[in-house]
Amino acid sequence: MKKFFVLFIAIISLQGCGPYSFTGVNTTAESFQVNFFRNEAPIIEPGLDYDFTNALQDLILNQTNLQLVNRNADLIYEGEIVEYRVSPMSATADQTAAQNRLTISVNVRFYDTKNPEEDFERRFSFFYDYPAATQLITVKQAAHDEIFERITQDIFNETLANW
């Protein structure tokens, strides 16, 4: 009888309130699609649209068990890159820039076909600071990687994470 009681408690404890996801994903969706994010920023950086679209797809694939599809998905991401800007951030004593900032902003429309009340349109933005004496071309890949990581994680948190 004692073994039965221990087994019963163990089963009840393991069932809990349902499955736990370490990413905090709370959705009944089974599939997602990421439509191509066009680059509509005043400064066009070649390949930025393709790289961003892939970065968002990769993040969702890596952090969920959702299936990536081309159409008729439960979750749909679409939008456009609306800002790609380099601006001086701090000045030196002789009135020249000491640091520059690359800022990328993306307008995202999210549709949840199973929960339309979760739909939204929102702008996500992040930046990368680098020394003014450095050419953007030399830090561009690292800058894009860091900015994409932050923006895609923010999009993920807003759409799928239950924090």
Side-chain angles (χ1 to χ4, degrees):
M1 186 69 166
K2 189 176 185 181
K3 289 181 184 180
F4 176 73
F5 180 72
V6 171
L7 180 63
F8 178 75
I9 295 297
I11 290 172
I12 296 296
S13 297
L14 291 175
Q15 284 183 336
C17 296
Y20 179 74
S21 168
F22 288 102
T23 60
V25 173
N26 184 18
T27 183
T28 58
E30 296 175 3
S31 62
F32 76 99
Q33 82 186 52
V34 178
N35 294 334
F36 188 70
F37 278 75
R38 295 178 319 278
N39 189 348
E40 296 183 359
I43 298 175
I44 301 294
E45 177 63 33
L48 189 71
D49 43 12
Y50 177 78
D51 292 342
F52 179 79
T53 302
N54 285 336
L56 183 56
Q57 287 176 346
D58 290 346
L59 179 92
I60 296 169
L61 280 172
N62 291 334
Q63 293 193 13
T64 69
N65 58 359
L66 296 173
Q67 182 179 12
L68 176 62
V69 297
N70 292 326
R71 59 183 129 87
N72 300 324
D74 297 328
L75 306 175
I76 302 168
Y77 297 83
E78 65 180 30
E80 48 281 331
I81 298 167
V82 294
E83 181 180 25
Y84 188 90
R85 175 174 46 97
V86 176
S87 55
M89 286 310 299
S90 58
T92 63
D94 60 349
Q95 305 271 336
T96 60
Q99 197 172 37
N100 287 331
R101 173 172 285 180
L102 171 63
T103 303
I104 299 176
S105 298
V106 180
N107 187 55
V108 175
R109 288 177 297 284
F110 172 73
Y111 305 101
D112 185 336
T113 60
K114 292 186 175 192
N115 267 336
E117 63 274 1
E118 298 292 325
D119 296 357
F120 69 82
E121 182 171 356
R122 182 170 165 216
R123 184 174 176 151
F124 294 87
S125 184
F126 201 70
F127 60 89
Y128 181 85
D129 293 335
Y130 62 97
T134 303
Q135 294 278 336
L136 176 60
I137 191 78
T138 61
V139 297
K140 183 170 62 172
Q141 191 59 53
H144 289 179
D145 290 346
E146 184 173 321
I147 292 170
F148 288 173
E149 180 180 340
R150 289 295 298 264
I151 292 175
T152 57
Q153 191 64 53
D154 287 348
I155 293 168
F156 177 87
N157 290 342
E158 186 73 22
T159 60
L160 292 168
N162 190 17
W163 295 98

